[in-house]
Amino acid sequence: MVKVLLVEDDESLRNLYSKVLRDNKYEVETAVDGEDSFIKIDSFRPDIIILDIEMPKLNGIEVLKILKADPELRKIPVIMFTSISDSNRLHECFKIGVKGYIIKDGSTAYENVKKIDLFVKSLL
């Protein structure tokens, strides 16, 4: 079973997506912000991280930079999960090493999880 860490500060979205991911046979752990993500990464050891860009404490880009600077953690594929479609910020994420992105508002949770399935199949 693929282990997914979902890092999302919006509680309702976090709960919705963790349920839909579990329904699609993923083992899911969640983090409420960038700082919490590192605690969960250490204890959960995810196969893939779904990372919100806009969060308190450490935003997704800051988390991504820290992950990609660490020799062990840089191996974990990251998909950005965002409500913004700012091409400059997304381009920055790709330069840092993100493997893909999903726009939250673009589709339903079920449709977005199908996109996550495609990313997972191509990354793992």
Side-chain angles (χ1 to χ4, degrees):
M1 187 177 291
V2 176
K3 295 169 69 173
V4 175
L5 175 62
L6 173 64
V7 186
E8 169 61 58
D9 62 316
D10 182 295
E11 183 178 8
S12 61
L13 283 176
R14 192 172 58 247
N15 291 338
L16 172 63
Y17 276 89
S18 63
K19 180 194 180 320
V20 175
L21 284 162
R22 284 186 182 101
D23 289 348
N24 281 272
K25 309 298 185 227
Y26 290 98
E27 183 177 347
V28 181
E29 181 63 68
T30 61
V32 299
D33 59 42
E35 285 183 1
D36 188 36
S37 71
F38 290 104
I39 295 167
K40 301 297 174 76
I41 290 167
D42 190 45
S43 64
F44 183 62
R45 291 296 184 195
D47 297 311
I48 193 162
I49 299 170
I50 301 171
L51 181 62
D52 187 11
I53 290 181
E54 295 297 322
M55 295 184 297
K57 297 184 182 178
L58 287 174
N59 70 41
I61 293 173
E62 293 166 326
V63 171
L64 183 63
K65 286 178 180 177
I66 294 167
L67 289 171
K68 296 305 175 185
D70 184 291
E72 175 117 357
L73 300 179
R74 78 169 52 133
K75 299 171 191 170
I76 304 170
V78 177
I79 298 170
M80 299 312 283
F81 187 57
T82 182
S83 58
I84 63 166
S85 58
D86 179 345
S87 61
N88 290 331
R89 295 199 66 194
L90 292 173
H91 181 70
E92 180 182 1
C93 292
F94 279 105
K95 283 175 55 178
I96 298 166
V98 75
K99 297 298 183 185
Y101 71 94
I102 292 177
I103 305 290
K104 296 177 208 180
D105 305 341
S107 304
T108 68
Y110 290 96
E111 292 168 333
N112 281 337
V113 168
K114 293 299 175 200
K115 293 174 190 173
I116 292 168
D117 287 340
L118 294 174
F119 279 121
V120 168
K121 287 177 180 149
S122 71
L123 296 172
L124 301 180

